[in-house]
Amino acid sequence: MRKIILIMLMMLTSTSLCFAEKQEWVEKTYDFSKITKVTILDPIIADNIKNGIKEREISEIFKTHAKLSNIKLVEPSTVILSLNAEFGVNLMELNKINPHEARKIIDENSYKYTDLLIKSEVLVYDMGKTYSDGVTFNTTQNQTSQITNNRGMVVGTVQTPVSQTHTIGGGNVDTAYNVVRFIVTDVKTGKDVFLRIDNRTKVNVTKFDNTKPKDIYGRIVKSFFNDLSDKFGK
């Protein structure tokens, strides 16, 4: 029991070495409650992050947490196919020979098939090192003592609280970093209505900590889509 309590206290101490900062802007006059259809684009990943593995990891995590309540999700391919049928063109082919005309059709008519466009950019997704000062904390344990009579016989026990001091050494420790930007655009007007930059850092102080960028990224994506769902109020 003593070991378990000590581990829990060490983990509790380590959780304080987190950094989280959200910068966001919301168009106050925008009526999110009118939204019924949303298109979510795959995350854009900074070139310096890509290594053949991270982009696949990011994509899988994004698909797991990019969810909205009571809103119809319209795939980007569905919007393109609908425009192809409406205008009798192949936008993919048109984009090769006349990108301006293809973009004009998409920009001016996509609102018929979706209300909002959600884009995200993963700007930082990395492990590094951070110097951490040593941490000292106290715990209190009950020490059991025996009570004897004048003949040396044990007649009872008594528990006395005893304070113990524990120290976690300092040094350079593994640190996970994430910065993600979200952009929500009204498709009809082409204006951004909700912007957020989520910057989070987690220092793995003890050997019991093993937070990776993928763990933080999952929390960032889940937090954003939960907050956006709340704005829809549905």
Side-chain angles (χ1 to χ4, degrees):
M1 174 62 73
R2 175 182 173 185
K3 182 178 180 181
I4 292 174
I5 292 174
L6 180 58
I7 290 173
M8 291 177 66
L9 286 169
M10 290 171 70
M11 294 179 70
L12 180 61
T13 302
S14 69
T15 59
S16 65
L17 295 177
C18 300
F19 170 81
E21 179 185 40
K22 290 180 186 176
Q23 301 177 55
E24 68 177 37
W25 171 85
V26 181
E27 174 55 65
K28 294 182 175 58
T29 62
Y30 192 75
D31 184 6
F32 285 91
S33 66
K34 70 180 182 181
I35 299 302
T36 59
K37 304 183 295 295
V38 172
T39 295
I40 303 174
L41 300 182
D42 291 336
I44 299 170
I45 304 170
D47 289 339
N48 64 299
I49 294 173
K50 296 178 180 178
N51 65 359
I53 297 174
K54 288 181 180 179
E55 53 266 42
R56 289 171 173 80
E57 185 174 271
I58 288 170
S59 178
E60 290 176 358
I61 295 170
F62 187 80
K63 289 178 180 178
T64 299
H65 296 291
K67 301 184 184 301
L68 294 168
S69 303
N70 301 317
I71 294 290
K72 181 180 179 180
L73 298 182
V74 182
E75 293 291 332
S77 58
T78 300
V79 175
I80 297 300
L81 290 174
S82 298
L83 292 173
N84 285 348
E86 180 181 352
F87 289 90
V89 298
N90 184 322
L91 286 169
M92 297 296 290
E93 294 300 320
L94 179 61
N95 188 57
K96 296 177 183 178
I97 59 176
N98 192 342
H100 175 75
E101 182 62 23
R103 174 53 58 187
K104 186 172 184 292
I105 292 174
I106 294 172
D107 289 346
E108 295 180 358
N109 298 279
S110 293
Y111 75 91
K112 302 171 186 176
Y113 306 101
T114 188
D115 300 321
L116 282 184
L117 186 66
I118 299 175
K119 295 172 285 187
S120 65
E121 302 170 83
V122 183
L123 305 175
V124 178
Y125 188 95
D126 200 10
M127 289 295 297
K129 294 287 186 179
T130 299
Y131 180 79
S132 175
D133 292 329
V135 178
T136 300
F137 58 94
N138 294 322
T139 61
T140 300
Q141 303 291 327
N142 285 328
Q143 180 176 293
T144 301
S145 302
Q146 294 181 334
I147 301 174
T148 59
N149 59 20
N150 55 4
R151 289 180 293 176
M153 297 178 60
V154 177
V155 295
T157 60
V158 62
Q159 290 189 333
T160 305
V162 177
S163 178
Q164 294 181 318
T165 300
H166 310 275
T167 300
I168 302 174
N172 291 322
V173 294
D174 291 336
T175 305
Y177 301 94
N178 277 90
V179 180
V180 184
R181 176 165 53 203
F182 297 92
I183 305 170
V184 181
T185 305
D186 181 278
V187 177
K188 189 170 186 177
T189 65
K191 294 181 178 180
D192 297 335
V193 296
F194 181 25
L195 306 174
R196 172 182 288 181
I197 298 177
D198 199 327
N199 181 358
R200 303 193 190 195
T201 300
K202 174 62 171 66
V203 180
N204 293 322
V205 177
T206 76
K207 64 182 180 180
F208 304 105
D209 295 322
N210 192 32
T211 300
K212 303 295 185 185
K214 64 180 181 180
D215 304 313
I216 302 178
Y217 180 63
R219 295 171 198 149
I220 288 174
V221 175
K222 185 176 181 180
S223 172
F224 171 79
F225 280 93
N226 283 344
D227 291 349
L228 186 57
S229 290
D230 289 342
K231 291 185 184 303
F232 295 142
K234 297 179 181 181

